[in-house]
Amino acid sequence: AQTVTQSQPEMSVQEAETVTLSCTYDTSENNYYLFWYKQPPSRQMILVIRQEAYKQQNATENRFSVNFQKAAKSFSLKISDSQLGDTAMYFCAFMKRNAGGTSYGKLTFGQGTILTVHP
Amino acid sequence: KAGVTQTPRYLIKTRGQQVTLSCSPISGHRSVSWYQQTPGQGLQFLFEYFSETQRNKGNFPGRFSGRQFSNSRSEMNVSTLELGDSALYLCASSLVFRNYGYTFGSGTRLTVV
């Protein structure tokens, strides 16, 4: 079974600054996907960024980037130039890669980190 | 393109009753998953459907069930509701043959009184 751990229950950052959210996971799988999701007060989960474990290059999406350390089983999210709209709960999630690369399966989530961006 | 639609958004039920929640995935998405979110337990996987078949199931009692229709729409049912079933129920859909991640709906907030 997989486990995902987010050790920071809450974090805060000033607008325009950079913040890093931590995530570690435990798995015996070699092929998997990792995700960061954002859940603002509107409660809709929004995909922020995804990483395929077999790709060594860290994923980036505009102001969001990850530091993926496969050997250490670490997957941190860096938010640059933080904006007020980034205020949300952030979840790290793991999904095993199926044979053939098909995309159905269980997401295992961490407990979440509440990020508050202050003006 | 329309997102994942969950209905209703809010629901209040009495202990012992049953409830059915609905989820319409993004057009073209054939995999639908359900998650329960509570402050104490976080996000927990309920089940997943693809091609009208349950592919994965989480650790929930048999009171929780679901199904998927030929148009990929899905419903989940909870029978004999308990107070502890109060939660946000989230539905997510995805393409099957490209893993771009799951797209979630806004959820159904179920309160059991």
Side-chain angles (χ1 to χ4, degrees):
Chain A
Q2 287 71 232
T3 59
V4 178
T5 302
Q6 294 177 248
S7 58
Q8 306 150 315
E10 291 188 50
M11 292 196 71
S12 64
V13 65
Q14 293 296 125
E15 202 174 4
E17 292 187 345
T18 295
V19 64
T20 298
L21 308 184
S22 300
C23 172
T24 58
Y25 58 95
D26 189 25
T27 184
S28 58
E29 302 289 339
N30 194 46
N31 294 315
Y32 49 87
Y33 301 96
L34 294 164
F35 305 91
W36 279 97
Y37 279 91
K38 161 187 174 180
Q39 188 178 39
S42 66
R43 78 192 194 197
Q44 178 157 18
M45 298 276 280
I46 300 164
L47 177 63
V48 174
I49 199 164
R50 64 186 279 273
Q51 175 80 41
E52 299 177 67
Y54 62 90
K55 289 188 177 178
Q56 293 187 345
Q57 187 172 5
N58 289 323
T60 62
E61 286 288 341
N62 302 313
R63 299 182 295 107
F64 299 88
S65 62
V66 298
N67 183 3
F68 172 50
Q69 302 289 327
K70 190 173 183 180
K73 295 180 182 172
S74 169
F75 184 61
S76 61
L77 174 70
K78 185 170 87 170
I79 306 174
S80 304
D81 185 25
S82 295
Q83 300 175 0
L84 296 177
D86 294 335
T87 293
M89 174 89 92
Y90 286 80
F91 291 95
C92 177
F94 171 102
M95 179 196 284
K96 182 179 119 176
R97 185 173 189 262
N98 297 317
T102 51
S103 163
Y104 54 86
K106 165 187 169 181
L107 279 166
T108 300
F109 286 91
Q111 287 298 103
T113 296
I114 298 172
L115 175 67
T116 304
V117 180
H118 297 285
Chain B
K1 167 159 133 169
V4 178
T5 304
Q6 289 189 248
T7 55
R9 289 213 69 188
Y10 300 92
L11 207 47
I12 299 176
K13 289 286 189 179
T14 304
R15 263 184 308 176
Q17 286 187 314
Q18 77 164 23
V19 67
T20 299
L21 312 182
S22 179
C23 172
S24 293
I26 289 174
S27 177
H29 284 195
R30 293 165 58 198
S31 170
V32 174
S33 298
W34 290 88
Y35 291 82
Q36 182 196 65
Q37 185 176 21
T38 60
Q41 299 298 315
L43 281 149
Q44 292 189 287
F45 172 76
L46 279 154
F47 27 64
E48 177 184 29
Y49 289 87
F50 164 50
S51 289
E52 302 175 64
T53 302
Q54 189 178 88
R55 305 285 172 163
N56 289 285
K57 188 177 191 311
N59 276 340
F60 279 82
R63 300 184 298 107
F64 291 81
S65 63
R67 59 178 175 167
Q68 186 181 35
F69 302 95
S70 58
N71 61 359
S72 295
R73 192 177 72 82
S74 177
E75 289 181 345
M76 68 163 279
N77 184 76
V78 188
S79 62
T80 321
L81 283 165
E82 299 177 1
L83 295 179
D85 297 332
S86 294
L88 179 67
Y89 290 88
L90 291 165
C91 167
S93 73
S94 79
L95 291 168
V96 173
F97 297 106
R98 290 286 186 273
N99 193 337
Y100 296 131
Y102 279 88
T103 303
F104 282 79
S106 295
T108 294
R109 172 77 65 189
L110 172 65
T111 302
V112 182
V113 298

